Amino acid sequence: RHSPLPVSGIRSRPIVHQRRPLCPPDPFSFCSVTLSVKMAALNDLQAAMDNLQHAMSELKSPKVVTKLAGNNLTESNIKICVLGAGAFGTAMAMVAARNNHEVVIYARDQAVVDSINNEHINPKYKMETFTLPTNITATTNVAEAVAGAGLIMHALPAQKSPDFFKEHKDVIPDTVLICSTAKGLYLRSKCLLSEAILGPDGLGREQPLAFLSGPSFAVQIMQETPTAVVVGAKFMPHAVAIQRWLSSMSFRVYTTQDTVGVELGGALKNPLAVGAGMIEGMGMGINTMAAMVTRATKELMKLCTAMGGKAETISGLAGIGDLMLTAFGDLSRNRTCGMRIIQGEKLEDILATTTVEGVPTAEVAMHFGQLCGLEDELPIFTAVAGILAGTMKPEEAQQFLMGRPLGSE
């Protein structure tokens, strides 16, 4: 057979199809060379995989993990710095002090520092009825607070945290383990708080970082009411170290490596708790509240798992546990905010005197839902975010939620 028309005037030659033997008998033939090339490639691949496995084992080794967080992971008593003298920061200081750690609280207010050091009382945030032990001191100097600390407990508002870490990163050692108790998403960059703390908006570097979350009102921690929380860290030795430093007969710490689930569970339940407060403010009954919390749990699970969290984390203390606390607990600022909105108070007036993490988190939650293609599957998040943004009236929420197309559970 011949080719079709010649190309560019060049006369084509007939194409002769010949069948070559599959494997010529000559040991130095094409097949033998191909086989040896393949074997060499396989050996190179195996060597590369061995090197990768060795590197991974080195990264996870106790020696490397210990280096990432100083050399004190196995020490029983350490210095613990608490950033923030609010209610929860004070509660974390008390938890650490009860376990005989040296505790230094950083506070901006000199009057609060003087009261803690001289009277052993935090005069603010409903903490004035509790006497602090003598191993808790306070300072307005960040460098003094973190100097020599084996653990930094971060208890500042989520939206202010990245700027704080950026401002003070030079006095915070890059090997010290930080455990954040803030429950919120970062509005400015619409991202996880961990991303904001470690990114350009914050420290701008790698840093051992963990997150503590769960159903835990500060006042009840101070009262030694049995409380259970979970701490999540990328490296399990970090989580276990925090667990051992803080756990007691009244404060039980569980561990996980699902940091995304811990962060999202603790943050995303806040706007849902605002919604629970709205239901309470409208005077609706327990039927409505139970239905809302149940369906909200499903939305929480759906969004968190879509973002990379684990379902079992959301089913635990950081998810459902914290949602139950803030939806039904009278001490919840998010729930109280929802009630005050329904009673006619302006949102800006509420936020002027109270930190309500659920308000900025509602906007970021909707952003995450859109990224995951779930905007039509998060009706409760949508209703709460709409009321907070002023695009939906509270009386319209019932029609929006109850009038949706019917479906199966």
Side-chain angles (χ1 to χ4, degrees), residues 9 14 27 33 123 138 170 172 185 200 213 215 221 225 254 265 279 290 321 372 376 395:
V33 173
D170 291 339
I172 298 176
L185 303 174
S213 190
I221 293 175
T225 300
Y254 291 86
I279 290 175
C372 298
D376 295 330
E395 56 269 22

Side-chain angles (χ1 to χ4, degrees), residues 223-258:
Q223 294 170 339
E224 294 193 81
T225 300
T227 301
V229 298
V230 60
V231 61
K234 179 180 179 181
F235 295 106
M236 185 57 78
H238 295 165
V240 171
I242 296 170
Q243 178 188 52
R244 292 173 176 171
W245 286 331
L246 299 184
S247 290
S248 67
M249 292 305 295
S250 63
F251 194 79
R252 185 173 178 85
V253 182
Y254 291 86
T255 62
T256 179
Q257 288 180 279
D258 181 19

Side-chain angles (χ1 to χ4, degrees), residues 9 17 32 54 77 107 123 135 141 149 175 196 217 227 292 334 339 362 408:
H17 298 278
S32 297
H54 176 72
N77 294 112
N135 55 333
N141 188 300
T175 57
F217 284 143
T227 301
M292 180 271 181
N334 291 285
M339 295 176 63
S408 61

Side-chain angles (χ1 to χ4, degrees), residues 350-401:
I350 298 173
L351 298 180
T353 58
T354 308
T355 299
V356 184
E357 297 289 5
V359 175
T361 300
E363 182 178 338
V364 185
M366 295 310 301
H367 173 70
F368 284 175
Q370 291 169 359
L371 290 178
C372 298
L374 297 175
E375 54 266 46
D376 295 330
E377 301 180 47
L378 307 172
I380 298 176
F381 275 110
T382 301
V384 173
I387 294 173
L388 292 175
T391 59
M392 180 183 296
K393 296 180 180 179
E395 56 269 22
E396 296 173 342
Q398 180 174 344
Q399 176 62 34
F400 173 76
L401 293 170

Side-chain angles (χ1 to χ4, degrees), residues 15 21 28 44 55 62-63 142 144 153 188 191 225 259 283-284 325 330 346:
I15 299 176
F28 298 101
D44 291 342
K63 187 178 296 184
V142 176
E144 180 183 339
M153 294 297 298
R188 186 191 305 171
C191 65
T225 300
T259 57
M284 296 182 178
L325 179 86
D330 293 336
K346 293 182 179 180

Side-chain angles (χ1 to χ4, degrees), residues 1-5 12-15:
R1 297 178 181 179
H2 295 274
S3 300
L5 295 176
S12 62
R13 296 181 178 179
I15 299 176

